[in-house]
Amino acid sequence: MRDLPALDTFTDEILLCLGKGTKTVLADGDWPVRAIACAGRNTLLIRDHGHSLTLSLPVDKGWPMSTQREWLQLKEEITVAFTNYHRANPHALSIADAIVALSLDAWIPGFPGTPVPAEAWLKKADEPGLSIGIFQQESAVRIVVWVGSDMRSRTVSSASELNTLPQWILPQIDDQRRAAKVAATEDARRRALPLPTIEEVMARLVAGEKISTGGGRYYETFFMEAGKLRREIFDEGFNEVLDTTPAQLQESIRILPDRFRKEP
């Protein structure tokens, strides 16, 4: 059970242990995040998971912990690793550096739960269609913005490039916002289309059409083969083709109606 102090108190304790550095606030709220900067670089990431905390250096090492005993056992190792990392990588950039440089108010960074996160996503609570990806590379960071199906990215590897990030990101956000509005309008239009009956869907399949329930990690595709209703299942790269029934097709129509609507 966690007996470590609150994040800011613990970050101050880490600073005393390191003997150098300053605290950077990256996120508050339910999942607060801090970083410790030294020589202008936000190197040590500190994430609060509630039941535990994780300290990490970019592409190097992470230290999950939840108790004072673990901290006392690890603090010398962390101090040495922090010092050695700065000595070996004086100009390396981190995800935290990019978050600070972007300087976007009301955008909240989210990190995966891995010990050493390779990415973070900035999002706005009041605009769910917007997001900015930040990916950690060896000594640089890559910023990714999806505008519809168009991926726009920029790799930043120096302090001077960091300083130009705000000017680069703002037009990308504007374009992403416009694309999100267009997508929302199209989604609303499609949802307004009438839901086909099972007979109409079967007629389309008999005519040779294949109907997929979506994309991504899992989806189904219905089709006719040799007069039989068949279903191909894609699950995390695994494919399986099975006989299926109108009842299973009807259930898929019920769960994912938008995938079966057809333009007039």
Side-chain angles (χ1 to χ4, degrees):
M1 182 174 293
R2 172 175 171 170
D3 63 7
L4 291 170
L7 180 60
D8 282 314
T9 301
F10 185 52
T11 302
D12 291 340
E13 185 175 341
I14 296 170
L15 283 167
L16 286 173
C17 180
L18 296 176
K20 54 188 171 184
T22 57
K23 177 172 63 179
T24 302
V25 177
L26 297 180
D28 282 318
D30 293 337
W31 311 110
V33 183
R34 303 290 184 265
I36 289 179
C38 183
R41 294 289 181 266
N42 288 279
T43 306
L44 188 65
L45 190 67
I46 310 167
R47 291 168 292 151
D48 193 328
H49 312 295
H51 61 283
S52 65
L53 295 102
T54 301
L55 282 61
S56 60
L57 294 170
V59 301
D60 192 14
K61 191 169 183 180
W63 299 272
M65 63 184 71
S66 58
T67 66
Q68 284 283 359
R69 179 180 179 182
E70 291 171 318
W71 162 238
L72 292 174
Q73 290 173 335
L74 291 170
K75 67 179 185 178
E76 183 177 352
E77 177 185 333
I78 293 169
T79 301
V80 171
F82 179 81
T83 300
N84 289 344
Y85 183 87
H86 269 282
R87 185 181 297 120
N89 306 279
H91 305 298
L93 301 181
S94 70
I95 291 174
D97 288 322
I99 292 172
V100 172
L102 285 167
S103 189
L104 294 170
D105 292 335
W107 288 70
I108 302 170
F111 292 84
T114 54
V116 183
E119 65 185 81
W121 287 89
L122 288 168
K123 297 186 179 182
K124 287 194 74 177
D126 58 345
E127 294 187 84
L130 303 185
S131 65
I132 301 168
I134 307 173
F135 295 83
Q136 184 69 59
Q137 299 184 341
E138 188 64 31
S139 60
V141 286
R142 184 183 182 211
I143 317 301
V144 172
V145 179
W146 284 94
V147 178
S149 59
D150 176 27
M151 186 186 75
R152 303 179 185 179
S153 67
R154 182 176 181 185
T155 298
V156 177
S157 57
S158 68
S160 60
E161 290 175 336
L162 271 180
N163 292 334
T164 65
L165 271 182
Q167 291 75 31
W168 178 81
I169 199 64
L170 292 178
Q172 316 308 323
I173 294 172
D174 288 341
D175 289 348
Q176 189 180 66
R177 182 177 285 115
R178 282 191 288 270
K181 289 180 178 178
V182 169
T185 299
E186 172 61 15
D187 184 60
R189 185 192 69 81
R190 286 193 58 82
R191 287 178 181 274
L193 293 172
L195 182 63
T197 65
I198 183 68
E199 291 77 16
E200 290 170 331
V201 173
M202 283 297 299
R204 288 160 57 188
L205 294 173
V206 170
E209 186 176 344
K210 291 187 175 183
I211 302 178
S212 175
T213 60
R217 296 181 173 181
Y218 178 91
Y219 61 89
E220 299 172 330
T221 300
F222 291 91
F223 61 97
M224 297 296 293
E225 185 178 65
K228 291 184 177 181
L229 180 60
R230 303 273 278 168
R231 177 178 57 157
E232 180 182 12
I233 301 172
F234 178 89
D235 187 359
E236 296 280 1
F238 174 76
N239 286 74
E240 185 179 19
V241 178
L242 305 167
D243 287 342
T244 190
T245 65
Q248 289 173 317
L249 175 59
Q250 180 72 73
E251 179 64 8
S252 291
I253 295 173
R254 185 189 68 80
I255 295 173
L256 296 166
D258 292 345
R259 296 296 180 178
F260 294 88
R261 300 184 200 274
K262 189 171 178 65
E263 301 286 347

